[in-house]
Amino acid sequence: MTIVTARKHGNAADGAVGGRLSRFEGQMKVTGAATYALEYPAENLVHGVLVQATIASGRIVSIDTAAAEAAPGVVAVLTPKDDLGLMTASDWHGNRPDDTPYQPFTEEVVYNGQSIAAVFAASREQAAEAARLVRVTYEEKPGVSSLDDPRAGEGKVMENLNADWGDAEAALAASPVRIEAEYRTPREYHVAMEPHGLTAHWEGDQLTLWEPSQWTHGMARSYAEWFGLPLENVRIVSPFIGGGFGSKGGALSYGAVAAAAARRLGRPVRLAVTRPQNFTSYGGRAATRQTLALGATKDGILQAIVHRGASETSVYMDYPEQTGAATPILYKVENFSSQHRVVPVNTVTPGALRGPGKNPSAYGIECAIDELAVALNMDPLELRLKNQPDRDYQSGKPWSTRHMREALVKGAEAFGWSKRSAAPRSMRDGRQLIGWGIGCGTFPVIRAPSEAMIRIRANGRVEVVSGAIDMGQGTYTILAQTAAEALGVPVEQIDIVLGDSNLPGSAIAGGSMLAGSITGAVHKAALAARDEVLALAINDPQSPLRETGANILTLSDGRISTTRGEGGSLPLPELLAALGRDVIEVRRNTLPDDAQSAADHKGAWTSMARVQGPTMGDHSMHSWSAHFVEVRVDEDFGTVRVSRMVSAFDCGRLYNPKMVESQWRGGIIMGIGQALLEEGLVDNRNGRTVNANMADYLVPTNADIPDIQVISVGEPDYNASALGGKGVGEVGIVGVAPAIANAVFHATGKRVRDLPITLEKLI
Ligand code: MCN
Ligand code: MOS
């Protein structure tokens, strides 16, 4: 069990909700005190290395493992011929097919980089060497490796993602000013610092997995179902994670392989997914293309939006990267039509990457709005302010809170937008063309149930305990702040224990839903613990405060005293000592009070069954952002640098503004990478990801990042969460790429409509 101790460092004025404390686990991470999944000590360890397919499509005719098996140190080679004895697990929503075996390795190959075998040896080096000796022959079929390959076809419409109101085609045709354009985004990857992998260990029929996880309970369920075990027999341990960005939310096939090998061999297995294999062992963001047609009156009132988008998916599963996710809610428009298709190609199924759907969607609509502003000869800020929606036109519901107008106005003020000269190529500094652009973003408030436990120990220390995880967002820190405030103890008195599926159930750290959910559970448990302490202080025959009478006791600064202040105060350890108690333990969840029995919350945190979308209540709830960007484009070389940025956000109440600012900046930095650098390149001859490494798949470095000013314009939103916060983790990336693309147009007069904006597209 890893305990993280709260500390008031940095310039934290106070440890309550809203305080600017620094991350408690940060120092452990940078000094090497934090143990990661591949570092857990285990005796008699076996190391596994994956073997991956080298063709895009076809069948394995033979796998010759003789040389690999004869290589030094090798203890096993698993191929599609081995029945691993697994059953198919439920999907995210908890749906599970009946009696369907699961084979992680198959003879059918549907993408280049698909795992087809694994070699296990006494050392990592021996396993890697033997993996090179596995000889595979294939019967190849023609593969399709890109959305743009004519053989990929038009794919199929995801009917459930369509949105239509008014008569968009007619209103578009009748609009005096119209623009239409196509926008494209390439395949993008998570490239978290910590690569994937795990250590799997069996003791009898108890399976422990040290594996980085954004959702310990959901992943534990998958392993339990694969291996036919009761849920309580599986334990996922994940106290520290070196970034996930959406890639570590679910158990993946190599995890099943490692655990199956460990069971067969009767020894713990460590399987490290190599950096190149991290590009194909799970999906990044799908490539997208989308066409937007906008119609407006001459004075810039939007009349119609017609939106047609598509994203690539695998040939074995439909995963939409929904280009229409943000379009319906950013502007007021009476006539709207949006449709999204998925186009199967030979790739691993794409997955969620920070701001899924909203991200490419905002790229499309926010570039199109800029193009409309140019067509209208209107300032793009003015056009945006003119078309702010008074409600959610898609659901018809009122906004819970929406401070987009304030974000635009305050952001513009801080940036100095009014000094912009409108014409493209009209601002320069020597040979550098200067451009200013705007892009707006949004991310839904998603709510899910969670559970938490508060333990007050005899020494007065308070433990906050939950299976929730912290991959760097600040969960440890905000939970200590939440408990400190609700309980009335100094934050330094708090220890936090997270990242273990044996602990109370938690929402996924995904969809920016964790903070709102788990602070709610901790707040509830801490209030209940405080009530219990005060009740014991009054009612217990051993209590020194017994004579004080009801309703006048308070707990603050870790001491119990009367509201009248007489008789001094009693520190928590003295109360527990007097009562003869080792611990006071309180567990609470955020389910309705009539659903507290185990049967009622079955599945509440092991599936997505009880997750609520942004319009499931009486309101439409979202976070909002407006980004203002300055770029400098070298006239001779076509290089683009982001030189200045101001971003204003409405994310409701901020539990810890320092964490939030860091989340926003982190998202923005990923957005800069998306706009200028990131692009998964595929070799069309064999479907291979060519730049599957951190040298060739470019992400921003410090030198690429300017000063980024972030501003909060939100107010508490108590429809969104118990403490009034909205989601923060993903909204930062949404809207950045279009702001940069629009700034590049302003600088150069050239409209680049496919990301990334690299120099050859500008020269
Ligand atoms: N927070 C706050 N006040 C709020 C909301 C959030 O102070 N009103 C702060 C808290 O520090 C909280 C953090 O922001 O821990 C993120 O909260 P939230 O928006 O609820 O997001 P989650 O906790 O669910 O985290 C997941 C989210 C997602 S989906 C991706 S993708 C992502 C992200 O967080 N991946 C990250 N941020 C990341 N940050 C790091 N360092 N690494 C990743 O992999
Ligand atoms: Mo975030 S992409 O929802 O894990």
Side-chain angles (χ1 to χ4, degrees):
M1 192 119 328
T2 306
I3 295 173
V4 170
T5 299
R7 271 184 310 248
K8 259 199 213 171
H9 55 66
N11 53 0
D14 76 281
V17 175
R20 298 181 64 90
L21 274 76
S22 298
R23 270 165 55 190
F24 304 144
E25 91 298 3
Q27 205 174 45
M28 299 174 78
K29 278 185 152 179
V30 297
T31 57
T35 305
Y36 289 87
L38 295 176
E39 300 174 327
Y40 279 91
E43 272 176 32
N44 206 18
L45 196 59
V46 175
H47 295 263
V49 167
L50 295 169
V51 178
Q52 299 194 320
T54 55
I55 61 166
S57 177
R59 261 196 105 66
I60 295 170
V61 177
S62 69
I63 298 193
D64 179 356
T65 58
E69 278 168 68
V74 172
V75 294
V77 180
L78 296 179
T79 74
K81 294 261 181 280
D82 295 279
D83 179 1
L84 303 181
L86 308 176
M87 299 304 285
T88 299
S90 316
D91 65 15
W92 281 70
H93 304 286
N95 306 313
R96 191 176 183 199
D98 291 333
D99 299 328
T100 311
Y102 170 50
Q103 273 284 47
F105 297 146
T106 59
E107 278 165 1
E108 194 191 357
V109 175
V110 290
Y111 61 93
N112 197 318
Q114 178 183 327
S115 296
I116 50 171
V119 177
F120 299 88
S123 76
R124 162 97 198 151
E125 292 73 16
Q126 288 171 327
E129 177 56 18
R132 283 155 33 89
L133 302 175
V134 174
R135 289 282 164 265
V136 187
T137 55
Y138 303 94
E139 190 181 284
E140 249 184 288
K141 285 195 288 199
V144 174
S145 43
S146 123
L147 194 56
D148 297 328
D149 187 327
R151 293 171 305 159
E154 288 300 303
K156 73 167 186 211
V157 175
M158 301 288 287
E159 301 285 350
N160 61 327
L161 302 181
N162 289 354
D164 286 283
W165 63 87
D167 187 343
E169 299 282 0
L172 180 69
S175 294
V177 182
R178 291 189 293 266
I179 63 107
E180 181 173 337
E182 189 188 65
Y183 305 95
R184 286 159 181 272
T185 62
R187 232 175 251 184
E188 293 155 6
Y189 295 95
H190 306 86
V191 281
M193 282 236 276
E194 179 200 25
H196 283 228
L198 71 156
T199 310
H201 184 34
W202 291 85
E203 280 160 301
D205 59 359
Q206 296 278 332
L207 173 61
T208 302
L209 303 133
W210 289 278
E211 181 168 8
S213 172
Q214 291 179 229
W215 192 23
T216 60
H217 292 86
M219 281 173 61
R221 172 183 49 76
S222 299
Y223 281 97
E225 291 176 354
W226 283 336
F227 288 92
L229 298 167
L231 191 59
E232 53 277 14
N233 285 28
V234 178
R235 182 172 171 213
I236 307 263
V237 185
S238 181
F240 302 107
I241 302 144
F245 307 111
S247 68
K248 290 168 179 167
L252 294 158
S253 63
Y254 58 77
V257 170
R263 184 169 64 174
R264 270 198 186 195
L265 296 167
R267 294 168 66 178
V269 165
R270 175 161 302 160
L271 190 147
V273 179
T274 66
R275 182 57 72 181
Q277 289 172 347
N278 271 268
F279 287 74
T280 59
S281 298
Y282 51 91
R285 197 194 306 281
T288 69
R289 65 161 182 253
Q290 52 185 316
T291 302
L292 275 140
L294 268 44
T297 60
K298 284 200 171 109
D299 54 354
I301 304 299
L302 261 180
Q303 300 297 300
I305 297 179
V306 178
H307 193 185
R308 298 288 176 262
S311 58
E312 61 180 2
T313 188
S314 68
V315 298
Y316 57 97
M317 200 187 281
D318 293 337
Y319 178 92
E321 179 68 29
Q322 193 193 346
T323 50
T327 329
I329 58 167
L330 282 175
Y331 297 101
K332 173 176 175 172
V333 62
E334 305 280 359
N335 303 286
F336 184 91
S337 169
S338 164
Q339 202 179 71
H340 186 85
R341 290 172 176 273
V342 285
V343 180
V345 305
N346 292 101
T347 172
V348 63
T349 307
L353 200 173
R354 210 170 194 173
K358 306 294 174 227
N359 172 306
S361 184
Y363 167 62
I365 182 68
E366 288 299 288
C367 286
I369 284 285
D370 198 70
E371 300 213 39
L372 182 64
V374 172
L376 287 161
N377 199 15
M378 184 180 280
D379 185 292
L381 175 64
E382 188 191 338
L383 177 61
R384 286 181 169 87
L385 288 171
K386 265 194 170 175
N387 289 283
Q388 288 301 306
D390 50 329
R391 62 190 155 90
D392 174 353
Y393 280 70
Q394 185 174 22
S395 67
K397 294 183 181 177
W399 305 116
S400 184
T401 48
R402 187 184 198 273
H403 294 289
M404 182 67 106
R405 186 177 290 279
E406 290 81 347
L408 282 163
V409 170
K410 292 221 170 113
E413 233 170 64
F415 187 82
W417 184 261
S418 60
K419 296 190 205 76
R420 181 179 185 258
S421 90
R425 298 184 74 88
S426 64
M427 292 165 64
R428 66 161 64 227
D429 176 3
R431 297 296 292 166
Q432 291 188 326
L433 299 167
I434 295 176
W436 290 3
I438 303 176
C440 292
T442 178
F443 200 82
V445 172
I446 305 174
R447 289 162 302 164
S450 280
E451 194 175 34
M453 190 156 68
I454 297 284
R455 277 199 206 112
I456 303 172
R457 298 277 187 195
N459 63 3
R461 292 201 66 81
V462 175
E463 278 171 23
V464 179
V465 183
S466 161
I469 66 92
D470 190 335
M471 57 183 157
Q473 337 85 290
T475 318
Y476 281 111
T477 313
I478 58 168
L479 293 190
Q481 293 175 259
T482 304
E485 179 176 282
L487 254 178
V489 302
V491 74
E492 302 90 332
Q493 217 162 306
I494 294 190
D495 297 312
I496 317 97
V497 183
L498 301 178
D500 187 328
S501 62
N502 271 0
L503 303 178
S506 162
I508 186 173
S512 303
M513 73 182 92
L514 178 59
S517 172
I518 193 68
T519 51
V522 167
H523 183 74
K524 200 166 169 184
L527 289 180
R530 187 196 60 184
D531 288 350
E532 185 156 338
V533 165
L534 297 182
L536 286 168
I538 294 167
N539 297 325
D540 196 288
Q542 312 296 325
S543 167
L545 293 161
R546 196 169 149 66
E547 300 305 319
T548 53
N551 295 332
I552 62 155
L553 287 186
T554 60
L555 178 54
S556 74
D557 211 21
R559 308 168 82 90
I560 302 143
S561 46
T562 69
T563 45
R564 295 193 217 105
E566 76 233 9
S569 65
L570 188 67
L572 277 170
E574 286 179 30
L575 176 70
L576 267 81
L579 300 176
R581 296 276 296 257
D582 288 338
V583 66
I584 296 170
E585 192 173 281
V586 175
R587 190 171 175 137
R588 287 289 184 280
N589 65 49
T590 59
L591 291 167
D593 285 336
D594 58 359
Q596 295 296 318
S597 77
D600 286 335
H601 59 68
K602 196 163 178 282
W605 20 82
T606 55
S607 80
M608 293 286 167
R610 299 186 83 132
V611 169
Q612 297 188 311
T615 55
M616 260 170 94
D618 296 335
H619 298 90
S620 181
M621 306 188 290
H622 311 262
S623 290
W624 307 100
S625 68
H627 305 281
F628 295 79
V629 170
E630 176 184 279
V631 297
R632 285 164 181 262
V633 183
D634 188 294
E635 216 179 350
D636 301 311
F637 297 113
T639 45
V640 181
R641 291 218 156 255
V642 176
S643 46
R644 206 157 64 81
M645 247 188 108
V646 176
S647 301
F649 292 89
D650 167 11
C651 292
R653 183 181 179 205
L654 312 182
Y655 312 133
N656 179 326
K658 186 175 195 168
M659 303 287 115
V660 171
E661 289 163 14
S662 161
Q663 284 293 299
W664 287 339
R665 287 199 179 91
I668 289 166
I669 291 166
M670 284 177 92
I672 294 174
Q674 176 182 39
L676 301 177
L677 300 166
E678 296 187 44
E679 178 172 29
L681 295 167
V682 181
D683 186 332
N684 285 325
R685 294 168 304 175
N686 53 25
R688 189 167 305 160
T689 307
V690 179
N691 54 347
N693 60 71
M694 286 178 84
D696 298 317
Y697 183 85
L698 302 180
V699 295
T701 64
N702 282 346
D704 298 308
I705 302 306
D707 179 43
I708 301 169
Q709 186 185 346
V710 289
I711 299 169
S712 173
V713 297
E715 57 163 333
D717 183 339
Y718 294 104
N719 294 309
S721 65
L723 299 188
K726 300 194 279 188
V728 154
E730 291 169 283
V731 69
I733 192 176
V734 183
V736 175
I740 294 172
N742 296 337
V744 168
F745 172 79
H746 182 235
T748 63
K750 201 156 181 181
R751 185 69 70 176
V752 178
R753 298 191 180 88
D754 58 322
L755 297 181
I757 304 169
T758 43
L759 51 85
E760 75 278 8
K761 295 175 187 169
L762 284 173
I763 286 176

